[in-house]
Amino acid sequence: MEKQLSILGFAGSLRKGSYNKAVLRAAAELIPSEISLEIFDLEGIPPFNQDFEKTPPDIVKQFKSKIRAADAILIVTPEHNYSVPGILKNAIDWASRPYGDNSFEGKPAAIMSASTGMLGGARAQYHLRQIFVFLDMHPVNHPEVMVPLAAQKIDEQGKVIDEETRKRIRQLLESLVAWTKKLKQ
Ligand SMILES: Cc1cc2nc3c(=O)[nH]c(=O)nc-3n(C[C@H](O)[C@H](O)[C@H](O)COP(=O)(O)O)c2cc1C
């Protein structure tokens, strides 16, 4: 079946057993069949160095071209010290440069977060929204999907087993699809 829209998703954790990667995989399972969701792994993106922003490594070129080709972006972020993890910010910095070649410009986006803490990464989500202002991205506002106490909602195989969480992920995906179609009009 030809897909109506394509979404590029990435998680801000490199950890093998990452809860945020698990939430992103759940999104790929729950996405409506007429929409594609490709997952990009941030593993291997080197630390940003402005000396190379015009001649970035191949993995960054690939990341930027996949962002450009996607109709919408889905980011699933851990919270590190009340903000987004360095590896996520680093990848965003590469993909936003050089000045005038920001691959995120104008993209609709949705955010989710999972944390072992009580607030589910809420503070990181709001920092990411601030970053979106400079990137000129258009985030969906509702529903907010924060997954607190993630170790109780994701099993040892990395599957999201909490039904309420799965329902909210599905609702956010529906909302992102509707928002993306609206912005395309
Ligand atoms: C450097 C570091 C800082 C952290 N800071 C926070 C924090 O500010 N808030 C929070 O809820 N959890 C915090 N945590 C716990 C993370 O929520 C937890 O490690 C989570 O599993 C990370 O996501 P991941 O499983 O996708 O790697 C922190 C973890 C690390 C390693």
Side-chain angles (χ1 to χ4, degrees), residues 13 15 18-20 78-82 115-117 123:
S13 175
R15 207 167 72 80
S18 161
Y19 296 125
N20 287 275
E79 180 170 287
H80 278 183
N81 298 314
Y82 284 16
S115 144
T116 47
R123 291 161 293 219

Side-chain angles (χ1 to χ4, degrees), residues 32-89:
S33 59
E34 68 278 14
I35 310 295
S36 76
L37 171 51
E38 183 184 355
I39 294 178
F40 190 92
D41 193 334
L42 302 185
E43 179 83 54
I45 296 185
F48 177 73
N49 180 339
Q50 200 179 356
D51 288 341
F52 302 108
E53 66 177 3
K54 290 185 179 151
T55 52
D58 283 350
I59 187 168
V60 171
K61 283 188 201 152
Q62 202 192 358
F63 185 43
K64 288 182 75 173
S65 79
K66 283 182 185 288
I67 293 166
R68 280 227 161 78
D71 295 301
I73 304 297
L74 174 64
I75 301 180
V76 191
T77 184
E79 180 170 287
H80 278 183
N81 298 314
Y82 284 16
S83 186
V84 295
I87 66 119
L88 176 61
K89 182 63 165 51

Side-chain angles (χ1 to χ4, degrees), residues 96-132:
S96 68
R97 296 294 299 181
Y99 185 76
D101 190 26
N102 163 22
S103 56
F104 291 113
E105 190 175 355
K107 296 283 176 189
I111 305 170
M112 300 192 283
S113 58
S115 144
T116 47
M118 295 288 285
L119 296 185
R123 291 161 293 219
Q125 287 209 17
Y126 281 93
H127 274 191
L128 191 52
R129 282 180 182 269
Q130 181 177 326
I131 292 166
F132 282 179

Side-chain angles (χ1 to χ4, degrees), residues 19 114-117 147-156 159 161:
Y19 296 125
S115 144
T116 47
V147 184
L149 306 175
Q152 296 171 22
K153 294 171 182 158
I154 296 166
D155 71 12
E156 287 183 0
K159 184 173 167 71
I161 48 172

